[in-house]
Amino acid sequence: MVELIKFEIGKIFSKKMVWVLLLAVLWSMGSSIYRDARMLKFNGIKNKEEVQQIVSPYEGEVLTKERIKEHEDYEKKLRKKDNLSAEEFVLSSILNFDYNLDIDPDYVVGDREYKKSELKKDLDKLNQEGKTDTFEYKNMEYIYNLIDKKEAQTYHYKMEWIYGADFQRIAPFLSILVIVGIATIFSSDYQNNTVPLVLSSKLGKNKLITSKILSSLIFSTIIFIFVNCVFLSYIALDKFKGWNQALNSLRYFEATPYNITVIQYYIRGLMFSFIGIILFTLLVMLISLLVKNNILSMLISLGIYSVPVFICSFMPTKQLAIIFRQLNLEELISVEALFRNTDTYNIFGNPVLYANLLVTISLILIPIVTYMIIHFGKKQAI
């Protein structure tokens, strides 16, 4: 079995396009690091340690409307200047990255968007009307209890996490690598006319199928670790600054329902994304087995990943559009939206965050798809 797995993994890594994509990942991150270093040097800043020294007086400062307004006025003055000093450049760009946070974001509850105070007001109204047994009340109470636990937003230098933990940027690399590496794992046997030899061998319908499944999962695990480590190096160069800060103080995550830190978000994000990659790998294998054509297998696999989000705008009802937009593999692998939004689904009368629902569905599908690969694999005929 071990030799078979090594053989299958060797076939996958022998594809030139796999190595081209891996090099593209290195180039993408390398160009970002070089771009940042060049930008700092152009503005008279030696390194990021100097940036951190400039913003250090603001560390831990609670973001208020008054403080944000003061910074906006200061930034307007700087815009009128032709040349900025190193300190002024940092205060108008790096610091501004956090001072543009929405400290009173909108939260999606049902079909409406609420400010926290508005949500509390409507919740009290439903309570007074005796509608506490309705899903509407349960949903509003559930979301309010989640967001009420969040800490006040503060300034901390942590912007590298936006780029180093950019799952939306990582997801296309991973998905394309899976398609290129795995989409032909069964179909190539048919197109190369080797399937008669494979199926007539002693191990053709048993250990070979298992070895293909295991080798594909090992490949996906390797590329997942590699790509994420490359992106993590961006944060590591900055000594993981800001890892212990609240997630709602990270730009684009102001409306998160989770009261967690940046590092907790990153770890959960890795787990969710990995579940998505494993499921996607298995689905690509199943398609390759059923379609028996390399090009068609790759196209269908690409469609499974990208089409649901695209067609959601053509759905006849809003509810269908939301389902197609949220419950799909791209959403799970790219992760970030799962932590940004408060959308819920009514599951047996109880509100469930769609992130939890999507992960649960995926965990259920993984053994089902694995069984289907084994079942149809044994049904192959010469």
Side-chain angles (χ1 to χ4, degrees), residues 15 20 47 52 55 63 92 109 168 181 210 225 242 253 277 291-292 297 324 335 345 373:
K15 298 177 180 179
V20 169
N47 48 48
Q52 293 179 30
V55 300
L63 301 178
S92 65
V109 184
Q168 288 188 327
T210 304
I225 293 172
F253 291 90
I277 282 297
V291 172
K292 301 179 177 63
S297 176
F324 272 83
V335 170
Y345 282 79
I373 294 171

Side-chain angles (χ1 to χ4, degrees), residues 47-305:
N47 48 48
K48 290 185 178 179
E49 284 76 12
E50 187 174 340
V51 173
Q52 293 179 30
Q53 290 176 1
I54 294 173
V55 300
S56 60
Y58 300 87
E59 285 285 322
E61 181 176 315
V62 176
L63 301 178
T64 64
K65 291 181 179 180
E66 293 75 20
R67 195 69 185 89
I68 292 174
K69 180 65 168 59
E70 288 177 13
H71 183 73
E72 288 176 348
D73 293 340
Y74 174 71
E75 188 182 5
K76 288 178 182 178
K77 292 180 181 179
L78 293 181
R79 288 175 187 169
K80 298 177 181 179
K81 297 184 65 174
D82 294 329
N83 296 307
L84 300 179
S85 66
E87 181 175 352
E88 289 172 335
F89 167 75
V90 170
L91 296 181
S92 65
S93 57
I94 308 298
L95 190 68
N96 188 54
F97 195 82
D98 264 15
Y99 273 81
N100 276 338
L101 284 175
D102 187 352
I103 62 174
D104 188 20
D106 293 319
Y107 298 96
V108 175
V109 184
D111 295 329
R112 288 186 54 187
E113 291 184 350
Y114 291 87
K115 298 293 184 182
K116 183 181 176 181
S117 58
E118 295 172 343
L119 181 57
K120 177 62 175 173
K121 183 179 178 180
D122 280 15
L123 191 59
D124 291 340
K125 182 180 178 181
L126 288 174
N127 189 24
Q128 292 172 2
E129 294 173 353
K131 297 181 179 179
T132 56
D133 59 340
T134 62
F135 175 76
E136 181 183 11
Y137 179 85
K138 291 179 182 179
N139 192 31
M140 295 175 72
E141 183 183 41
Y142 176 62
I143 298 301
Y144 183 81
N145 288 337
L146 286 174
I147 64 178
D148 191 46
K149 296 175 182 177
K150 295 196 298 181
E151 301 176 14
Q153 292 158 307
T154 56
Y155 172 77
H156 290 279
Y157 180 82
K158 54 187 176 300
M159 64 177 295
E160 270 66 21
W161 286 97
I162 288 291
Y163 304 107
D166 189 355
F167 291 104
Q168 288 188 327
R169 186 178 170 190
I170 293 170
F173 284 118
L174 291 175
S175 59
I176 294 173
L177 275 163
V178 168
I179 292 172
V180 170
I182 308 300
T184 61
I185 194 162
F186 284 107
S187 59
S188 61
D189 291 339
Y190 287 89
Q191 292 211 200
N192 296 332
N193 294 318
T194 59
V195 71
L197 178 63
V198 172
L199 295 181
S200 61
S201 66
K202 184 179 180 181
L203 304 177
K205 291 188 179 181
N206 294 291
K207 290 187 177 181
L208 269 178
I209 296 172
T210 304
S211 69
K212 284 179 182 291
I213 293 173
L214 292 176
S215 60
S216 297
L217 294 178
I218 290 171
F219 167 74
S220 295
T221 300
I222 290 172
I223 63 168
F224 183 86
I225 293 172
F226 173 80
V227 174
N228 279 284
C229 282
V230 169
F231 275 76
L232 188 63
S233 66
Y234 188 88
I235 308 169
L237 289 173
D238 212 27
K239 300 177 181 179
F240 301 95
K241 184 72 174 177
W243 66 273
N244 58 342
Q245 304 308 315
L247 179 61
N248 68 315
S249 290
L250 192 64
R251 194 171 181 180
Y252 310 127
F253 291 90
E254 298 96 326
T256 179
Y258 297 99
N259 182 33
I260 58 177
T261 61
V262 171
I263 191 63
Q264 287 173 326
Y265 153 69
Y266 181 67
I267 293 172
R268 291 189 191 185
L270 285 176
M271 292 171 59
F272 289 0
S273 184
F274 184 64
I275 291 170
I277 282 297
I278 293 299
L279 177 57
F280 186 49
T281 298
L282 293 169
L283 285 170
V284 171
M285 289 188 69
L286 182 60
I287 292 167
S288 179
L289 177 61
L290 298 177
V291 172
K292 301 179 177 63
N293 180 281
N294 290 344
I295 300 299
L296 195 57
S297 176
M298 296 179 75
L299 289 175
I300 295 174
S301 298
L302 183 61
I304 285 178
Y305 179 80

